[in-house]
Amino acid sequence: MARKEPAADAANPGRLKQIALTYKMTRKADKKIGLVLAAVGIVTFGVFLAIGFLIGHPIYLGILGLLLAFLASAIVFGRRAERAAFGQMEGQPGAAAAVLDNIGRGWTTTPAVAMNRNQDVVHRAVGKAGIVLVAEGNPNRVKTLLAAEKRKMNRIVADVPVHDLVVGTGEGQIELKKLRTTMLKLPRVLTGPQVTATNDRLRALGDLMSNMPLPKGPMPKGMRLPKGGPKAR
């Protein structure tokens, strides 16, 4: 018991430091965060205290109101901190991949399965909704990447639905802060074993592609393919 207490005491300052750091980062983007949290806490506590005086139990309702005031403030703080984080990430390369990594259980994400020289990129997520291709970059250029990747998925796993999303603020695009919610709202059409089988097939494809012995650099002039090799049609 004595050994566990110092570890717990050491963890608490770390959590408090993390909360303080999150608050400072949120306040840079949300100047009113302090006033909002104070207002939420005071109003919640005041309402329960007033109800306590009305029914003759101000102490009990006051204690309950105090606890609920902390809870309400924590919920509001979490949501505004998340909104501020998305605001800072908006438009940054790899922002969609960061959201996909934190989408939750039941999803397997693979960042940057396709990319072009302009750094437009397509990420892949596999879950009970099927395969979701998430693109970020120029909306006109990513259409080509998405189309090529979608054809590849249809050849490999033709029996699995493939969805495509483009992250952005334009028409027909999904805002970064709504990406996770949008994916979680997709209809679930696969079972757990089907999701596992799909991941295995895609993983095997990745292994085959990464282990394929491809020549580096241009073919030397005058070099011919050995007899018995593939013939041109």
Side-chain angles (χ1 to χ4, degrees):
M1 294 297 292
R3 294 181 178 179
K4 294 182 180 180
E5 290 178 358
D9 293 339
N12 289 332
R15 294 193 189 99
L16 295 176
K17 186 176 180 180
Q18 185 177 7
I19 293 173
L21 181 61
T22 303
Y23 177 81
K24 290 180 180 178
M25 294 178 62
T26 304
R27 196 180 178 203
K28 291 180 180 179
D30 189 353
K31 302 296 183 181
K32 298 181 180 179
I33 182 66
L35 295 175
V36 171
L37 295 180
V40 170
I42 292 172
V43 170
T44 304
F45 175 72
V47 168
F48 277 86
L49 187 61
I51 295 174
F53 277 110
L54 289 176
I55 64 177
H57 295 285
I59 297 179
Y60 297 138
L61 269 296
I63 295 174
L64 178 61
L66 185 62
L67 295 176
L68 292 178
F70 278 111
L71 178 61
S73 297
I75 293 174
V76 172
F77 174 61
R79 290 181 177 178
R80 294 183 81 97
E82 184 180 25
R83 188 186 308 169
F86 282 138
Q88 294 176 359
M89 292 168 58
E90 193 80 46
Q92 299 294 327
V99 175
L100 293 177
D101 284 340
N102 295 280
I103 193 172
R105 297 180 59 185
W107 288 90
T108 301
T109 62
T110 306
V113 293
M115 181 183 296
N116 59 23
R117 65 180 64 186
N118 297 304
Q119 295 186 349
D120 303 314
V121 64
V122 175
H123 313 292
R124 185 179 67 222
V126 182
K128 291 187 176 181
I131 298 173
V132 183
L133 301 175
V134 180
E136 53 180 335
N138 184 282
N140 295 321
R141 293 193 300 258
V142 295
K143 290 180 180 179
T144 304
L145 285 176
L146 279 174
E149 194 64 23
K150 201 167 184 177
R151 287 194 298 268
K152 184 195 300 182
M153 294 298 100
N154 288 331
R155 289 197 302 268
I156 302 167
V157 282
D159 54 337
V160 178
V162 180
H163 310 273
D164 57 277
L165 304 173
V166 179
V167 175
T169 56
E171 184 178 356
Q173 299 177 345
I174 304 298
E175 294 183 30
L176 186 65
K177 62 182 179 181
K178 296 181 180 180
L179 176 59
R180 181 176 182 273
T181 304
T182 301
M183 292 183 60
L184 293 178
K185 286 182 178 179
L186 293 173
R188 300 185 177 186
V189 295
L190 300 182
T191 63
Q194 287 175 319
V195 174
T196 301
T198 302
N199 277 318
D200 289 342
R201 290 164 71 179
L202 293 175
R203 192 177 298 113
L205 173 70
D207 292 340
L208 288 174
M209 293 297 290
S210 60
N211 294 328
M212 185 178 296
L214 297 176
K216 298 181 180 180
M219 181 179 292
K221 294 182 179 181
M223 182 176 179
R224 299 180 179 179
L225 291 174
K227 295 182 180 180
K231 298 181 180 179
R233 295 182 180 180

